[in-house]
Amino acid sequence: MMTLQHDAFTRVSRRSFLYQAGGAALATSALLAGCGAGSGAGGGAVALNVWGGVPAENGPKKLIEAFHKAHPNIQVKYTRFVNDDTGNTKLDTALQGGTPIDIYFSYTVARMSQRIKAKLAVDLTSYVSGDSALSSWSQNNDAIFKVDSQYYSLPTTREPNFVAINKKMLDAAGLKVPTSWTVSEYREMAKKLTSTNGGKTVYGSYAPPSLPLITLGPNASYKDGGKESNFDNPVFKQDLQLHVDMMKEKSAFPWTEVLAQNLRAYAQNPFLTGQEAMWITSPFSLRYVNDASKYPHDFVTTFAPMPKPDTASTSYNGGSLNNWIMMHPKSKNKDAAWTFIRFWLGEGSRYMLTAGKNPVLPEIDQETQVNGILGDKKAILYDVDAFKNVVFAPDLKFVTDTITVAGAQMSQITQSQTDRCLIGEISPDQWVSTVKQQCDDAIKKAGA
């Protein structure tokens, strides 16, 4: 029986939409280009079809151009799908039908595990094992997705969580950037950063850290090996109560406005428009900060590490490895497809920096990463040293779940009931009772 990883809750069991991915040091290795990888059966150029969620102009176009120069006998066509329910359904339909696809991306472990279960992914283990540098890196990284110790996908980006802070507001309040802090200290700073002037409130934060995620880490939503949900664990009620209390004291953004403004999709808006002082996010969101024409603002963005639980002895960053690249079993050019996958993981990853994608392999030096992600105006827009401290911290513990039972259903249940709780329709106690019962029922049904 396969054990699959699932991230219905890796982003925060109840707030997976709020946040959005190391390894041993290794030298740059040569691309694996198996015999015949650069040409088709008749000796002509090989054509690969790649589907991804990142707009071509945000990195994939330049990456593919560089790949063509290095491998002129392998021509790549990139198709962008929108990474939402509709776009992923379109991709799944194409994978299951006759659409020619050689390589594609999954952006959650939930969808990735479903695609592996449906036999829509090639086992890449032999390719990984044949690349000494990649093999060493993967064996020393617990956050990489596996199925029965086999690799059906590989992450292409690191997405550590951090707290982005409006430095102008921080300075006005006489506060300093934390270098190590607890959840209680995060709340106290959010209170101090909250202000009301002329009937207009500036909220101290968008939302608090997810206590289950940073406290419990992998599989926070399950117990007994996935036979039962874990929502009666006290940390879930504490998490909800903290969020409710912070909204009441106006140190967290009101959830009624999150829903009204569709901030699940546009969480950058209140931060960049000065409606809040702190925002928990990841490097990929910084492309909005860079876009001064669409998001004009007059403050420097600084960074603090994720707060640690007040009492737990172990703390997780809450971020993940992500943007999982996969090979379709119907590909007629698997060696060529692997050559492209390895290029994306290695040298090609420099072209994805403008999209805020930190490479997973240390083949791109830190300064190149910083310059690529923060852009030409980094000295004006960012506290660059603070960014380096949080993104390249050596002790980041990413969250990788290993249980997938009823994951999609549980995600829908928790999101729906969390919305109700955060707008005051139900209490945290009612949330625990309802979510626990409904998720346990979903797990039983899935195992039937």
Side-chain angles (χ1 to χ4, degrees):
M1 180 177 179
M2 291 195 302
T3 299
L4 298 175
Q5 297 166 349
H6 168 66
D7 79 344
F9 309 100
T10 45
R11 296 286 188 249
V12 182
S13 189
R14 62 180 181 78
R15 294 195 298 272
S16 60
F17 38 83
L18 292 183
Y19 318 126
Q20 316 275 290
L26 53 109
T28 302
S29 64
L31 298 175
L32 268 187
C35 183
S39 60
V46 168
L48 296 178
N49 289 283
V50 179
W51 283 43
V54 179
E57 63 273 17
N58 287 358
K61 183 176 183 293
K62 289 185 177 180
L63 184 153
I64 290 170
E65 289 174 351
F67 179 78
H68 285 164
K69 290 181 180 179
H71 301 274
N73 290 329
I74 306 176
Q75 294 298 302
V76 178
K77 177 184 177 182
Y78 183 80
T79 299
R80 193 255 175 139
F81 69 93
V82 179
N83 182 30
D84 58 12
D85 288 342
T86 301
N88 277 284
T89 298
K90 178 181 178 180
L91 172 59
D92 288 334
T93 300
L95 289 170
Q96 294 168 358
T99 304
I101 298 177
D102 298 276
I103 297 164
Y104 64 94
F105 283 84
S106 295
Y107 296 93
T108 68
V109 176
R111 292 191 184 279
M112 179 166 54
S113 65
Q114 291 172 349
R115 288 161 181 162
I116 293 173
K117 281 183 177 180
K119 301 186 184 303
L120 296 174
V122 171
D123 183 354
L124 302 175
T125 307
S126 62
Y127 288 109
V128 174
S129 300
D131 183 317
S132 60
L134 196 58
S135 178
S136 174
W137 167 75
S138 62
Q139 291 174 12
N140 288 282
N141 199 320
D142 293 336
I144 299 178
F145 173 86
K146 299 177 186 177
V147 178
D148 293 338
S149 300
Q150 305 299 303
Y151 300 98
Y152 286 82
S153 62
L154 291 169
T156 59
T157 184
R158 295 171 69 249
E159 293 183 347
N161 284 346
F162 49 67
V163 183
I165 307 176
N166 181 319
K167 194 171 186 300
K168 185 176 181 179
M169 294 182 184
L170 196 70
D171 292 343
L175 301 172
K176 294 184 178 180
V177 180
T179 56
S180 178
W181 54 340
T182 65
V183 172
S184 290
E185 290 169 334
Y186 174 94
R187 180 180 181 181
E188 287 305 309
M189 180 170 285
K191 289 180 184 178
K192 293 175 182 178
L193 290 170
T194 299
S195 63
T196 300
N197 186 13
K200 180 182 178 181
T201 298
V202 174
Y203 300 91
S205 69
Y206 180 77
S210 163
L211 296 182
L213 189 60
I214 66 172
T215 304
L216 303 178
N219 303 321
S221 301
Y222 296 94
K223 58 184 175 183
D224 195 16
K227 296 179 182 178
E228 182 182 353
S229 74
N230 193 37
F231 297 112
D232 53 352
N233 186 308
V235 73
F236 286 95
K237 179 183 174 181
Q238 293 168 9
D239 186 42
L240 281 161
Q241 192 64 58
L242 172 64
H243 200 163
V244 169
D245 291 345
M246 287 183 66
M247 286 191 295
K248 286 181 178 178
E249 68 195 19
K250 296 188 176 181
S251 64
F253 205 78
W255 210 250
T256 51
E257 287 301 308
V258 170
L259 299 180
Q261 298 180 41
N262 191 25
L263 296 183
R264 290 193 182 113
Y266 304 100
Q268 72 275 6
N269 287 359
F271 180 74
L272 291 173
T273 55
Q275 298 178 67
E276 69 193 28
M278 297 193 294
W279 173 35
I280 295 174
T281 187
S282 292
F284 66 84
S285 294
L286 300 182
R287 65 182 185 270
Y288 302 114
V289 183
N290 290 343
D291 191 352
S293 59
K294 187 174 182 179
Y295 298 98
H297 56 284
D298 64 352
F299 62 87
V300 168
T301 297
T302 189
F303 305 90
M306 284 295 292
K308 297 180 180 180
D310 288 352
T311 57
S313 57
T314 301
S315 177
Y316 295 85
N317 169 267
S320 67
L321 304 183
N322 210 318
N323 294 209
W324 304 85
I325 196 167
M326 308 171 76
M327 190 188 301
H328 194 292
K330 292 183 180 179
S331 174
K332 297 179 180 179
N333 299 290
K334 291 183 174 61
D335 285 342
W338 172 254
T339 300
F340 182 76
I341 289 173
R342 186 60 179 83
F343 183 83
W344 192 301
L345 284 166
E347 174 62 21
S349 62
R350 69 174 63 245
Y351 301 100
M352 298 304 296
L353 294 171
T354 54
K357 308 294 186 180
N358 280 102
V360 291
L361 300 180
E363 298 186 9
I364 309 299
D365 64 86
Q366 288 188 8
E367 286 304 313
T368 300
Q369 293 185 49
V370 170
N371 293 335
I373 293 174
L374 301 187
D376 296 338
K377 297 181 180 179
K378 61 182 182 298
I380 299 173
L381 295 175
Y382 297 104
D383 180 346
V384 178
D385 288 338
F387 174 78
K388 293 178 181 178
N389 290 338
V390 299
V391 170
F392 301 115
D395 58 348
L396 297 180
K397 293 183 66 175
F398 292 132
V399 174
T400 300
D401 285 355
T402 57
I403 302 174
T404 184
V405 184
Q409 295 89 338
M410 290 171 66
S411 181
Q412 293 171 354
I413 291 166
T414 54
Q415 179 171 303
S416 172
Q417 296 304 316
T418 295
D419 285 344
R420 294 184 64 202
C421 182
L422 296 182
I423 64 175
E425 286 187 0
I426 61 175
S427 68
D429 280 320
Q430 290 172 315
W431 183 96
V432 170
S433 176
T434 301
V435 170
K436 171 66 176 169
Q437 182 61 57
Q438 291 185 6
C439 287
D440 282 350
D441 290 344
I443 289 173
K444 291 178 182 177
K445 184 176 181 180

